[in-house]
Amino acid sequence: MDISEIVIRGDTPGVEWRLPVIRFKGSDAKAPKIYIQAALHANELPGTALLHFLCEKLRQADADGKIFSDITIVPQANPIGTAQSHFGELQGRFDLGSRTNFNREFPLIGLSERETLIDDLERYPVVEQLKRQLLHMALGADLMLDLHCDDESVQYTYVDEAFWPEAADLASALDMEAVFLADGESSAFEEAVGYAWKHETAEKAKRLPGRLAVTVELRGTRDVYPDMARKDAEGLWRFLVARGAVGGAAATIEPYRGKVTPLDNIEMIRAPQAGAVLFHRDIGDTVAAGDLLATIITTPGMEGGAIDIHAPQAGLVATRTSQRFARRRDNLMKIACDEPTKAVRKPGALEA
């Protein structure tokens, strides 16, 4: 095992950021190279906990000579976001300087341009330097997992259609309740990796056998518990064994039986007016068209001072906001459905 740090100089004198990187050297040149990172959104910590326990298993495998793949682990991928606190609350999703989502605006390049990502890095603002360093590392791998979580959520994953159904073993190993099939049209980290692989040659690839780039949503922000993290680490370990990255007892991964939903079939339930939110349905619930999802109290104490929100179609309640006050048009829920939504959706990510 090798532990190093990437040092990124800040945009003001006397400030620098240190990014710890853990590497395990594999013994089999033919085994897939692995890159796993967590907490790119710095306040999303279930993945950091998972990687803490996964590294315990990897250290033992290293001592036993059972690491076959080159494996790179970045347990906390965003030291800049980790340092952002506003009135005592960690602000890890957006860079406070540029107001840019830390998981957006990654460079979209072909794989042949990989080395240009780290050429003359200091000409870029510090957040872009971080993004370029992370993307450069990930593009040296064959399998890339970006570990996130939602607000309140079932376990699910975003998978570019180019990697499905090959990614079903990961979804099954991690007990995913839902898979969202992405269209590869955003500049999020996972899709920037996929973009580079698709554009490795002059003709854009539609399928990428032997490769995988996914965003894994490990439930909600509060789901940071030792039993959950160990269970997730065990699931990821089984996936690595099955993919030939590490040695271990033969991993039995059952066929994936959860819900598979294109992004166009996700109903984004939004607040029509501001007010206090009373939820009638929980994450993991299956709802029918017309079911009561939530009530918003818009004018407390007044006759007619509440609005009911109903399900536009049947589906699985995959996520829910933890906030109990909503502004107009705030996102309240995501429902994974069998039919396309009638709402207009731009290509790319579901949320900013």
Side-chain angles (χ1 to χ4, degrees):
M1 182 178 76
D2 174 72
I3 302 174
S4 61
E5 287 184 327
I6 294 174
V7 179
I8 304 173
R9 293 179 61 185
D11 293 333
T12 55
V15 175
E16 65 181 21
W17 307 100
R18 294 179 177 271
L19 180 70
V21 180
I22 302 169
R23 292 183 173 90
F24 296 88
K25 180 65 177 175
S27 60
D28 184 355
K30 295 181 180 179
K33 293 180 173 60
I34 313 291
Y35 177 85
I36 311 173
Q37 70 178 27
L40 179 57
H41 287 148
N43 57 333
E44 297 179 2
L45 297 173
T48 297
L50 182 163
L51 291 181
H52 175 73
F53 292 115
L54 181 67
C55 282
E56 286 184 355
K57 299 176 75 65
L58 290 172
R59 284 193 296 271
Q60 184 60 55
D62 197 20
D64 295 340
K66 293 184 177 180
I67 301 284
F68 305 139
S69 291
D70 290 347
I71 302 175
T72 301
I73 304 287
V74 184
Q76 288 185 300
N78 187 359
I80 301 169
T82 303
Q84 292 185 159
S85 185
H86 184 63
F87 294 129
E89 184 173 343
L90 180 61
Q91 302 292 319
R93 185 175 180 86
F94 296 93
D95 170 38
L96 296 184
S98 66
R99 293 179 283 184
T100 301
N101 189 321
F102 282 113
N103 193 24
R104 300 290 186 273
E105 297 189 16
F106 278 86
L108 299 178
I109 61 168
L111 187 60
S112 64
E113 302 171 82
R114 178 190 174 209
E115 293 305 319
T116 67
L117 290 167
I118 55 173
D119 286 347
D120 194 15
L121 268 177
E122 291 193 6
R123 61 185 163 140
Y124 298 106
V126 65
V127 172
E128 189 166 350
Q129 290 186 47
L130 174 67
K131 291 179 178 181
R132 286 173 168 268
Q133 292 275 19
L134 294 174
L135 186 57
H136 180 266
M137 286 190 287
L139 290 181
D142 302 300
L143 308 178
M144 189 290 295
L145 280 67
D146 190 15
L147 306 184
H148 288 254
C149 69
D150 214 297
D151 199 349
E152 293 180 358
S153 170
V154 302
Q155 192 117 307
Y156 74 98
T157 184
Y158 288 97
V159 180
D160 189 313
E161 293 171 350
F163 304 110
W164 190 260
E166 290 84 356
D169 58 343
L170 176 66
S172 181
L174 284 172
D175 290 334
M176 295 292 174
E177 294 184 51
V179 170
F180 293 176
L181 293 182
D183 49 24
E185 295 295 325
S186 85
S187 59
F189 184 77
E190 161 234 327
E191 298 196 7
V193 173
Y195 183 96
W197 290 342
K198 290 176 186 176
H199 292 82
E200 185 172 2
T201 62
E203 185 175 349
K204 179 182 176 182
K206 295 182 180 179
R207 308 295 302 176
L208 295 166
R211 284 184 165 151
L212 177 63
V214 299
T215 296
V216 176
E217 301 283 356
L218 297 165
R219 308 178 191 87
T221 54
R222 290 187 168 187
D223 293 323
V224 188
Y225 298 99
D227 56 340
M228 286 184 174
R230 287 185 184 276
K231 177 179 181 294
D232 292 339
E234 287 288 345
L236 190 47
W237 176 261
R238 290 196 304 274
F239 168 76
L240 293 176
V241 171
R243 287 290 183 118
V246 296
T252 301
I253 298 179
E254 298 293 329
Y256 179 67
R257 296 185 174 88
K259 195 170 186 65
V260 181
T261 306
L263 292 192
D264 284 343
N265 291 23
I266 304 296
E267 294 284 4
M268 300 292 290
I269 307 302
R270 293 185 168 88
Q273 296 293 333
V277 181
L278 311 178
F279 283 115
H280 297 280
R281 305 307 295 259
D282 203 349
I283 55 171
D285 287 353
T286 298
V287 298
D291 279 357
L292 180 61
L293 300 176
T295 299
I296 299 181
I297 301 175
T298 56
T299 51
M302 302 298 177
E303 184 177 359
I307 300 172
D308 287 336
I309 300 174
H310 298 269
Q313 60 170 311
L316 171 73
V317 179
T319 77
R320 192 174 75 172
T321 182
S322 64
Q323 302 299 314
R324 293 302 183 264
F325 184 87
R327 297 174 300 177
R328 185 172 58 250
R329 300 299 295 165
D330 274 355
N331 293 324
L332 301 178
M333 288 177 164
K334 298 186 193 79
I335 301 180
C337 304
D338 292 331
E339 301 295 331
T341 176
K342 294 180 180 178
V344 176
R345 190 187 80 83
K346 296 179 181 179
L350 291 173
E351 296 173 281

